[in-house]
Amino acid sequence: MQAPSSNPIPTNKKQVLGLLLVLLLTFALIGVIIYRGKQADAQKRAFILKDPGVTTGIITRRRRYKHKRVTVTYRVDGRKYTLRTRVNRAFLRGHQMGDTTAVVYAKADPSKAVLKATLLREKN
């Protein structure tokens, strides 16, 4: 009696088509997730820019590996808010912990904010 093969390679057309279908659905799902994320970012920016306010924030944390991020704390009307956002390498080179940076926020909801440097970079 022969032992069953542990070869995971598909051997017939049905298995190959099933594998291709799974891959196609996976890529489609990833595409939808990326599209929704970009759409949400665009809506947030539009909300902020409808009635923006500008304040100064202090960089309280920098993350240089993997996804480059900064954490910025800022105050609006005496309340403290925190913004955690991705930045590019040039921003990280030019800013250290404790440095100040401009923060653009929505006057209707000051917890919604972006870095002014990010807005300027996206305009160009």
Side-chain angles (χ1 to χ4, degrees):
M1 182 167 196
Q2 191 175 10
S5 173
S6 63
N7 189 359
I9 299 173
T11 55
N12 61 32
K13 281 185 179 181
K14 254 186 181 179
Q15 289 175 327
V16 171
L17 288 175
L19 182 63
L20 288 175
L21 181 62
V22 167
L23 287 173
L24 181 65
L25 290 174
T26 301
F27 287 132
L29 180 63
I30 290 169
V32 167
I33 290 170
I34 291 171
Y35 174 76
R36 292 277 173 110
K38 288 185 181 234
Q39 190 177 33
D41 284 347
Q43 288 174 345
K44 177 184 170 185
R45 289 191 196 301
F47 178 72
I48 291 168
L49 294 175
K50 189 179 353 176
D51 188 18
V54 179
T55 189
T56 301
I58 299 172
I59 298 173
T60 57
R61 185 169 186 226
R62 295 173 67 223
R63 182 175 174 185
R64 295 182 311 199
Y65 55 94
K66 290 187 181 179
H67 305 290
K68 293 152 187 60
R69 293 182 185 273
V70 293
T71 302
V72 178
T73 58
Y74 61 98
R75 290 191 176 272
V76 177
D77 296 329
R79 288 197 62 202
K80 184 177 176 182
Y81 297 93
T82 301
L83 168 65
R84 183 172 171 232
T85 186
R86 285 185 176 188
V87 293
N88 61 18
R89 195 173 293 146
F91 184 89
L92 279 179
R93 273 189 244 129
H95 295 83
Q96 300 299 318
M97 275 185 38
D99 287 354
T100 60
T101 186
V103 177
V104 180
Y105 64 92
K107 287 183 180 176
D109 183 2
S111 67
K112 307 272 191 247
V114 294
L115 295 178
K116 187 175 181 181
T118 305
L119 288 176
L120 294 175
R121 185 181 71 228
E122 291 176 357
K123 272 188 176 179
N124 297 331

